Amino acid sequence: TPDGRFAFFTNTGRFPRNAVHKLLIEARPTGSLMCVDLKTGAVQTLVFGLVMPNGVTLTHKGDALLLVTLFGLARVPLPMAPGGGQVDAEALARGESLPLEATLIQRDFQGTPDNIRRRQGPGSGQASSGTYLVALGSKRAAPFSLPQLIAPWPTLRKACGLLGLEAMVRLISRSCTLVEVDEDGRVVETMADEKAACFWPSEAEERDGYIYIGSWRAPFLARAKISHLRT
């Protein structure tokens, strides 16, 4: 953050990483957005009651955090940023929670958002483009979408929660989709690898005309020219 704090998010401690699908199925509002003062070590909770927060980045202007959750993209204003309002300094020193609110600015990515990164501008100067890249870890589209199918049925969700991760991934269609959004959460562009050579992306980082793509499942780092991903 502009004042030197480090922002991070937490989820429920109910499940280990190899059972992350159970966290997605339960969709409990047990996540939090927090920050730590690197000088004093004081930790504050900025927002709580989040459903599976899964990525955070500072806006290009430095006045807010953009937070990816299971339900979309949220904007969290930073009162400690210049012009962002006043915060009780004593409360900060005590590590108390801050009364911040997350405003959902994008509700329908047609996929499960997984991490967000600020995007560069064109050219070797790597100037900011003012937009952001969001990776979609799975899709909500034809011919089949497991999250969409089981969402209205609690009993079916509980049954799926009994499955192990290896069994669960066999039910998820492979896809590779990245979404570019602006400051207000509007989708500017969608980029996809129709062959899903790097499937279920978890993060996308742009460098010099290429996008480097990590996956929550594939055991490798992929690189693709931006022009090859444009739809």
Side-chain angles (χ1 to χ4, degrees):
T1 61
D3 66 342
R5 300 175 190 273
F6 182 80
F8 64 99
F9 57 87
T10 63
N11 276 297
T12 175
R14 284 167 54 82
F15 306 112
R17 286 185 60 84
N18 61 358
V20 66
H21 62 293
K22 297 183 179 181
L23 181 63
L24 186 148
I25 291 170
E26 283 196 344
R28 292 174 182 259
T30 56
S32 299
L33 176 64
M34 310 179 78
C35 73
V36 58
D37 189 319
L38 299 181
K39 294 181 180 179
T40 66
V43 178
Q44 291 86 38
T45 300
L46 302 179
V47 183
F48 56 88
L50 299 169
V51 178
M52 200 175 176
N54 210 20
V56 63
T57 190
L58 186 68
T59 60
H60 291 284
K61 297 178 181 179
D63 60 346
L65 294 171
L66 294 182
L67 176 69
V68 167
T69 74
L70 179 62
F71 294 145
L73 178 65
R75 181 182 179 89
V76 182
L78 289 177
M80 68 279 288
Q86 299 297 319
V87 175
D88 186 340
E90 293 183 0
L92 283 175
R94 291 193 300 268
E96 294 181 2
S97 298
L98 301 179
L100 302 187
E101 294 184 0
T103 302
L104 203 58
I105 59 176
Q106 174 56 255
R107 298 174 180 271
D108 190 10
F109 278 122
Q110 288 301 302
T112 306
D114 194 348
N115 272 308
I116 180 171
R117 288 290 182 270
R118 288 186 288 186
R119 190 171 184 191
Q120 300 171 2
S124 59
Q126 298 185 0
S128 167
S129 67
T131 58
Y132 308 83
L133 282 176
V134 178
L136 300 186
S138 63
K139 65 179 182 179
R140 298 175 185 155
F144 176 73
S145 170
L146 182 63
Q148 295 269 104
L149 176 66
I150 67 176
W153 310 102
T155 302
L156 184 56
R157 294 210 314 269
K158 289 181 180 179
C160 288
L162 298 176
L163 298 175
L165 181 61
E166 296 303 319
M168 181 64 69
V169 295
R170 295 189 182 97
L171 302 175
I172 304 175
S173 301
R174 289 192 175 188
S175 63
C176 180
T177 304
L178 309 175
V179 178
E180 181 182 5
V181 298
D182 64 12
E183 290 275 354
D184 298 317
R186 290 186 293 259
V187 175
V188 176
E189 185 176 12
T190 299
M191 293 174 276
D193 174 11
E194 299 299 334
K195 297 181 180 179
C198 178
F199 48 91
W200 302 327
S202 62
E203 187 171 337
E205 187 78 27
E206 181 180 2
R207 284 290 184 275
D208 302 323
Y210 288 88
I211 292 182
Y212 294 82
I213 306 171
S215 166
W216 62 267
R217 182 65 177 176
F220 55 80
L221 177 69
R223 187 182 80 162
K225 285 188 176 182
I226 296 176
S227 57
H228 293 171
L229 291 173
R230 297 189 187 277
T231 57

